[in-house]
């Protein structure tokens, strides 16, 4: 399926965008790029989750954000002589599109509509980053976790389910695995979710929506 930001382009620009973006699968447990790598490639998430993080002064991992379906990352490729400045790690096997800096420059120079499409994608990333900072500052773990569960749930055989690990949810919610495990247990006690092996079944999404506010 063609991503929305490409499908919305005029026919000639769409054809060119489909030519320059290439699909591939980024496997869990690998890295897409490292902080010192030159930003030569822009990425778009078709399906999955990719964590962007840096190392702190004591080599601790500091999650900057987690990008999901419909979002771009590696935006340094839109600028000359930039490095990525962060690690990019797939939390699950993720379907991505990639395009080189040179191809992007030709695409955006020929088609102003493509420039606007990237501006919109970058604006969404900025708004999400601002929202994440606001949530970390003003919200407790429970509403942040509820929001993460709602964003990660997908239709399954028995209803909506989340297949991310507790650690992955900790990255999404900006917390620790231990705290997330505790809060998940509290939600399970309230019958809002059901905990299973490598799966969380969402029993009452309306409860999550209420506490996520």
């Amino acid at each position: 399926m063609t991503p929305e930001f490409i499908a919305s382009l005029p026919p000639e620009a769409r054809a060119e965008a489909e030519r320059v973006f290439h699909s591939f699968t980024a496997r869990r447990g690998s890295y897409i790029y490292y902080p010192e790598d030159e930003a030569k490639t822009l990425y778009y998430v078709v399906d999955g989750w990719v964590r962007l993080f840096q190392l702190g002064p004591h080599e601790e991992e500091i999650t900057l954000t987690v990008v999901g379906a419909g979002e771009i990352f590696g935006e340094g490729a839109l600028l000359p002589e930039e490095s990525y400045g962060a690690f990019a790690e797939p939390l699950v096997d993720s379907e991505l599109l990639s395009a080189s800096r040179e191809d992007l420059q030709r695409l955006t120079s020929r088609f102003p509509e493509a420039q606007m499409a990237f501006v919109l994608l970058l604006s969404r990333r900025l708004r999400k980053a601002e929202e994440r900072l606001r949530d970390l500052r003003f919200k407790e773990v429970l509403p942040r976790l509820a929001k993460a569960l709602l964003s990660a749930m997908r239709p399954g055989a028995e209803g909506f389910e989340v297949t991310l690990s507790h650690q992955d949810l900790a990255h999404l919610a900006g917390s620790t695995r231990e705290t997330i495990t505790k809060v998940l247990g509290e939600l399970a006690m309230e019958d809002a979710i059901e905990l299973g092996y490598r799966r969380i079944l969402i029993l009452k999404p309306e409860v999550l929506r209420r506490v996520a506010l």
Side-chain angles (χ1 to χ4, degrees), residues 72-120:
I72 60 171
F73 64 100
E75 58 272 10
L78 296 171
L79 302 171
E81 299 180 3
E82 285 285 320
S83 60
Y84 287 116
F87 295 88
E89 173 194 33
L91 295 181
V92 297
D93 290 351
S94 301
E95 300 302 319
L96 307 179
L97 297 178
S98 66
S100 71
R101 174 189 291 164
E102 292 75 15
D103 283 339
L104 290 170
Q105 287 174 342
R106 285 191 290 269
L107 175 66
T108 55
S109 64
R110 288 184 60 196
F111 303 103
E113 300 91 348
Q115 285 185 343
M116 182 55 63
F118 290 125
V119 168
L120 290 174

Side-chain angles (χ1 to χ4, degrees), residues 60 103 187:
E60 71 275 21
D103 283 339
L187 288 171

Side-chain angles (χ1 to χ4, degrees), residues 7 12 14 29 55 88 90 109 134 137 142 146 148-149 151 153 155 165 169 177-178 180-181 185 187 213:
E12 188 176 359
R14 174 176 174 171
L55 296 180
S109 64
R134 185 172 62 248
R137 176 65 178 84
L142 175 58
L149 289 170
S151 68
M153 69 182 188
S165 70
L169 288 170
R177 182 181 59 80
E178 294 77 11
I180 291 301
T181 298
L187 288 171
L213 295 176

Side-chain angles (χ1 to χ4, degrees), residues 16 34 43 52 64 79 83 125 163 182 201:
E16 181 66 10
Y34 296 87
Y43 300 90
L52 306 182
L64 304 176
L79 302 171
S83 60
R125 269 287 307 278
T163 56
K182 177 178 179 293
L201 186 63

Side-chain angles (χ1 to χ4, degrees), residues 6-170:
I6 293 178
S8 64
L9 296 174
E12 188 176 359
R14 174 176 174 171
E16 181 66 10
E18 290 176 338
R19 186 188 69 79
V20 303
F21 276 93
H22 306 282
S23 63
F24 73 101
T25 300
R27 300 296 181 184
R28 178 186 175 92
S30 65
Y31 290 101
I32 298 166
Y33 56 67
Y34 296 87
E36 66 276 10
D37 290 347
E38 184 180 354
K40 294 182 177 181
T41 305
L42 178 76
Y43 300 90
Y44 176 89
V45 182
V46 177
D47 187 51
W49 299 95
V50 177
R51 178 172 73 117
L52 306 182
F53 71 95
Q54 295 176 338
L55 296 180
H58 303 293
E59 297 298 304
E60 71 275 21
E61 296 181 359
I62 302 171
T63 299
L64 304 176
T65 190
V66 177
V67 293
E71 295 184 271
I72 60 171
F73 64 100
E75 58 272 10
L78 296 171
L79 302 171
E81 299 180 3
E82 285 285 320
S83 60
Y84 287 116
F87 295 88
E89 173 194 33
L91 295 181
V92 297
D93 290 351
S94 301
E95 300 302 319
L96 307 179
L97 297 178
S98 66
S100 71
R101 174 189 291 164
E102 292 75 15
D103 283 339
L104 290 170
Q105 287 174 342
R106 285 191 290 269
L107 175 66
T108 55
S109 64
R110 288 184 60 196
F111 303 103
E113 300 91 348
Q115 285 185 343
M116 182 55 63
F118 290 125
V119 168
L120 290 174
L121 288 170
L122 288 169
S123 297
R124 291 172 187 166
R125 269 287 307 278
L126 176 60
R127 184 170 62 182
K128 180 181 175 181
E130 292 173 341
E131 186 176 320
R132 177 180 174 86
L133 286 173
R134 185 172 62 248
D135 287 350
L136 290 173
R137 176 65 178 84
F138 295 110
K139 289 186 177 182
E140 299 295 332
V141 174
L142 175 58
R144 300 203 310 262
L145 175 58
K147 188 174 182 178
L149 289 170
L150 289 169
S151 68
M153 69 182 188
R154 300 289 185 270
E158 300 179 59
F160 288 111
E161 62 182 24
V162 174
T163 56
L164 295 176
S165 70
H166 291 194
Q167 183 61 68
D168 295 338
L169 288 170

